[in-house]
Amino acid sequence: MTNRLLVLSGGSRGLGLALASQYRALGWEVLEFSRSAPHPWSVKVDLSDPGAADPLVRAALAPLAARAWDEILLVANAGVLAPMGPVSGKDPAAVLANIHTNYAAPVMFMAAAVAAFQGHACRKTLLNISSGAAQRSLPGWSLYCGAKAGLEHFVRTLAVEQAALPHPVRAININPGVIDTDMQADIRAASAEDFPAVGAFIQRKNAGELRSPAVVAAAIARMVADDRLEGGARAATEDYLG
Ligand SMILES: NC(=O)c1ccc[n+]([C@@H]2O[C@H](COP(=O)([O-])OP(=O)(O)OC[C@H]3O[C@@H](n4cnc5c(N)ncnc54)[C@H](OP(=O)(O)O)[C@@H]3O)[C@@H](O)[C@H]2O)c1
């Protein structure tokens, strides 16, 4: 009987729920962090307030860090698009909440998760669920694009740091492609004024081009199992659809 652990942010719904469900079905222990915290394996945190969330995350990780594991998977998955539109016209509080949720909170989450399991000698992978938006500038998405780009470089730098340690965590950026989740519904609900490319996203949905969260989660599991992927890599689910 193997003892494997998945810790992720945003496991209440969407891609995070699909990852959690998939790994639970494979016998992994799962812990997820979200605001709605709807599962027995959920911890309630609001990542738009990373200062308040961090002690809750660390407290929940402490008992897991005290146990022996055969494999550990850590996934920074939670993210939001709102507010969409040119940032100069947006409420400063909403702008800050976006930056906190999309950049500060994932950095704090990854730091806490890596620290908790740094001494474990088992196979350890850290995934940053990124986006094509990390490399593509989409008008109306400057906050989201900026956070995803910054996080990717944070993860590459973390990977270099980890490579020098006795029990490194393999830190990888993932572009998951387009997934049929609430986030895509939020995109389609945007005004053309806030998000000029909204029509293309509506067309993609109507053309059936969005992948189900379960299909993307299965591709991510193949990716995690791929030993050719080294720390600092940027992987795309496209290449792991099976
Ligand atoms: N969907 C796509 O096409 C697509 C494409 C590229 C990249 N991605 C990336 O994939 C990841 C997952 O996206 P998704 O499509 O599954 O989105 P989703 O369906 O909207 O789910 C977002 C998840 O993040 C959590 N979350 C959001 N704000 C939070 C907060 N303030 N505090 C705690 N948790 C919070 C939500 O939980 P609660 O609401 O319960 O808090 C939920 O579990 C994101 O990083 C996204 O950028 C998605």
Side-chain angles (χ1 to χ4, degrees), residues 30-63:
V30 173
L31 183 71
E32 78 92 16
F33 297 92
S34 60
R35 289 166 301 185
S36 57
H39 312 295
W41 30 275
S42 293
V43 176
K44 193 176 181 65
V45 295
D46 183 351
L47 296 171
S48 70
D49 185 354
D54 191 57
L56 301 174
V57 170
R58 286 177 187 266
L61 292 178

Side-chain angles (χ1 to χ4, degrees), residues 87-107:
V87 72
S88 54
K90 296 297 163 189
D91 170 20
V95 170
L96 194 57
N98 181 299
I99 295 167
H100 278 164
T101 307
N102 285 335
Y103 188 76
V107 166

Side-chain angles (χ1 to χ4, degrees), residues 10 12-13 15 35-36 46-47 77 144 148 179 181 184:
S12 60
R13 56 193 166 90
L15 175 60
R35 289 166 301 185
S36 57
D46 183 351
L47 296 171
N77 166 74
Y144 184 76
K148 291 294 191 189
I179 321 161
T181 65
Q184 284 287 331

